[in-house]
Amino acid sequence: MKIEDIINLQNKALNEIEAAADSETLEAVRIKYIGRKGLIPDLMKGLKGADPTDRPEMGKRVNELKNTFQEKFSERRNQIESSRTESGDKTFDVTLPGQWRGLGKKHPISYLMERAIDIFHALGFTVADGPDIETVFNNFDALNHPPGHPARDATDTFYLSDGDLLRTHTSPVQVRHMLKHSPPVRIIAPGRCYRRDTPDATHSANFHQIEGLYVAENVSLADLKGDLAHFAHEAMGPETKVRFRPHFFPFTEPSVEVDFSCHICRGDGCRVCKQSGWIEIAGAGMVDPGVFEAVGYDTGTVTGYAFGMGIERIAMILFGITDIRDLYENDIRYLRQF
Ligand code: PHE
């Protein structure tokens, strides 16, 4: 092998690169010269047989050949690529509309659940979980519902054939948690609930709640109000007001219903708040001693508050949704706007 052989091969290779008119031909040139069994690797193998005095010089030349080949090859490939796009090659029509890939978005209910978890997390609450299918004991008995309580009625509650039921609130998670953990307890439990309600603008047979439970020494109604007010301010803005109205629940004493001032009309009255300026968001109260007894807590040393907030209610005033059913129609055009 002589130095001329290298020079000849170089000239030939560069001419062929220059002459390649499309990427297929150019690729063939690449394989021919620097593919695994190409002419340049071949030449390198041939170096071994060259005259030892010429060998260093030849080695240098072959390396140069390889580098020059790579350089010219890339140049030519870029030329071919850009001329293809400029001339509107058949394989790529720049006038076609792009492929639209819809970006996903969280459902308003998921968004609010996650937001609520974050807010309560910052107050030291952890998330507890329970199943949608519950026992009568967890859903009613342990929560102090007397045998004839109307909520137990089959016209209000979905019973399964084995006697279990679809939980009517997230409160059974309180029971499950307290049976397994001793105080202090500070949990929230977000989840689905089921009631035999006829769907209308503000009712759905399947809705979502966030349960809260805080049991320790000296927990008071003031803690409840402070924590719910903090939640309202974080979730809906610092101007949101919170009010308690006396109420009754079998498992809390005293019990309250919690209203937030309407986010839409700022309390003036509108369609969403039915002109009252307030929206009922939660049921709450101090845990009834009867519940502590059912789960084996010492009523002499601990007190606790509990609340159950309706997520849909919050979504309605936060986003100005006038019909709860719109949340479940799964019309992406509608849901996308929140
Ligand atoms: N579970 C009650 C309901 O669904 C709300 C509630 C929770 C009330 C906790 C008091 C304490 O209406």
Side-chain angles (χ1 to χ4, degrees), residues 168-171 174 195 209 211-212 249 251-252 282-285 306-308:
T168 58
H169 48 182
T170 42
S171 301
Q174 289 185 35
R195 283 182 205 173
Q209 285 188 337
E211 191 79 8
F249 294 105
F251 42 99
T252 46
F307 62 80

Side-chain angles (χ1 to χ4, degrees), residues 262-274:
C262 181
H263 185 77
I264 306 294
C265 60
R266 310 247 171 244
D268 293 342
C270 68
R271 225 152 73 87
V272 175
C273 62
K274 299 197 183 104

Side-chain angles (χ1 to χ4, degrees), residues 278-305:
W278 296 91
I279 290 223
E280 186 193 318
I281 295 289
M286 300 305 293
V287 180
D288 193 288
V291 175
F292 283 151
E293 272 156 27
V295 297
Y297 276 21
D298 177 8
T299 52
T301 53
V302 291
T303 53
Y305 74 59

Side-chain angles (χ1 to χ4, degrees), residues 135-147 152 290 294:
T135 59
V136 173
F137 176 81
N138 286 338
N139 196 83
F140 291 128
D141 298 339
L143 290 166
N144 226 18
H145 286 72
R152 293 177 180 259

